[in-house]
Amino acid sequence: MEGTVIKSTGSWYDVRNAEGKIYKCRIKGRFRLEDIKHTNPIAVGDKVVFELENNVETGVIEKIEP
């Protein structure tokens, strides 16, 4: 699923999808292992790809779009 980050609070991000639904998401740990050296590699306004978790109200950000 794709969306836009609309809020960042600590390790959680509010992501709005194309239909306007907002999901609470966190980032995968692999961003910390890649060449991304920032403490918080995601900013408000970033386009991201995320997968929903079991409870379908929260998700995990898999990719930050360029």
Side-chain angles (χ1 to χ4, degrees):
M1 188 176 295
E2 295 181 356
T4 303
V5 176
I6 61 169
K7 184 178 180 183
S8 171
T9 54
S11 61
W12 287 93
Y13 304 88
D14 287 356
V15 179
R16 180 184 297 134
N17 70 2
E19 290 79 33
K21 184 161 173 69
I22 298 172
Y23 296 92
K24 294 280 188 193
C25 297
R26 55 189 170 81
I27 61 173
K28 282 189 99 167
R30 72 176 175 84
F31 288 114
R32 308 264 187 241
L33 301 175
E34 292 178 355
D35 289 336
I36 300 172
K37 302 298 182 199
H38 307 291
T39 303
N40 190 348
I42 299 175
V44 171
D46 282 351
K47 304 287 186 196
V48 296
V49 175
F50 65 100
E51 295 293 326
L52 294 178
E53 295 182 308
N54 294 337
N55 65 12
V56 300
E57 292 298 322
T58 62
V60 177
I61 296 173
E62 302 281 335
K63 180 180 177 186
I64 306 167
E65 296 291 346

